[in-house]
């Protein structure tokens, strides 16, 4: 029975990894020039949260090091997509917010990738996609708990 569970786990993660790689390749081709997937992810997160977040919060959200997040934020700041300011209550911390240019870039990226995912949902079926989301969320949550 353990071999069956091992084979199931390997098949599951092989599919997840293959899907991840395929999505990254497809996204990389349709994102606006100069935008990386990590840039879009951060801009999208900031747009959804409608406020400021610390680099540490963003790093935790994306399960990356603070150094990696700092690097991404520097690139986004250089492009004018985010505003980074000191936290007036704690000078050791910084706060990050999406800029109007960042919101426009994020919206352009969403417009570029929407047809890709709309087509995918159409081909797989809306009901099947909706049914998969809770399982994928639970897998992500369980993996995050192990990190």
């Amino acid at each position: 029975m353990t071999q069956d569970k091992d084979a199931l786990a390997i098949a599951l993660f092989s599919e997840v990894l293959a899907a991840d790689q395929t999505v990254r390749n497809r996204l990389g081709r349709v994102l606006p020039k100069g935008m990386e997937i990590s840039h879009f992810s951060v801009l999208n997160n900031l747009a959804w949260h409608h406020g400021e977040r610390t680099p540490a919060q963003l790093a935790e959200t994306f399960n990356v090091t603070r150094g990696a997040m700092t690097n991404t934020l520097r690139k986004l700041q250089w492009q004018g997509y985010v505003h980074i300011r000191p936290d007036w209550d704690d000078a050791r911390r910084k706060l990050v917010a999406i800029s109007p240019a960042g919101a426009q870039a994020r919206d352009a990226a969403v417009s570029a990738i929407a047809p890709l995912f709309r087509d995918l949902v159409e081909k797989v079926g809306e009901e099947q996609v909706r049914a998969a989301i809770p399982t994928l969320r639970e897998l992500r949550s369980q993996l995050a708990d192990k990190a």
Side-chain angles (χ1 to χ4, degrees), residues 23 47 51 56 70 76 116 119 130 133 137-138:
V23 167
T70 297
L76 290 170
L116 171 73
D119 184 49
R130 284 188 196 282
I133 291 171
R137 260 192 204 123
E138 182 61 23

Side-chain angles (χ1 to χ4, degrees), residues 98-115:
I98 192 168
S99 71
Q104 286 179 336
R106 180 248 179 213
D107 291 348
V110 168
S111 293
I113 65 176

Side-chain angles (χ1 to χ4, degrees), residues 30-139:
V30 298
L31 284 174
K33 185 173 171 68
M35 184 177 288
E36 298 174 20
I37 295 170
S38 61
H39 300 169
F40 170 74
S41 298
V42 171
L43 293 174
N44 197 47
N45 184 276
L46 290 169
W48 274 95
H49 282 89
H50 302 291
E52 297 174 311
R53 308 217 42 219
T54 67
Q57 288 171 321
L58 291 166
E60 185 177 334
T61 295
F62 293 105
N63 199 29
V64 297
T65 65
R66 289 181 185 194
M69 183 54 62
T70 297
N71 186 43
T72 298
L73 292 173
R74 275 193 199 123
K75 290 176 182 177
L76 290 170
Q77 185 179 34
W78 183 81
Q79 292 173 306
Y81 292 165
V82 297
H83 297 299
I84 302 174
R85 69 168 184 87
D87 182 343
W88 309 127
D89 297 326
D90 182 350
R92 296 169 295 177
R93 291 187 337 169
K94 296 190 182 298
L95 294 172
V96 182
I98 192 168
S99 71
Q104 286 179 336
R106 180 248 179 213
D107 291 348
V110 168
S111 293
I113 65 176
L116 171 73
F117 290 109
R118 194 174 18 229
D119 184 49
L120 179 66
V121 170
E122 235 174 72
K123 287 179 181 175
V124 173
E126 193 173 324
E127 190 174 307
Q128 199 168 345
V129 171
R130 284 188 196 282
I133 291 171
T135 302
L136 292 170
R137 260 192 204 123
E138 182 61 23
L139 288 170

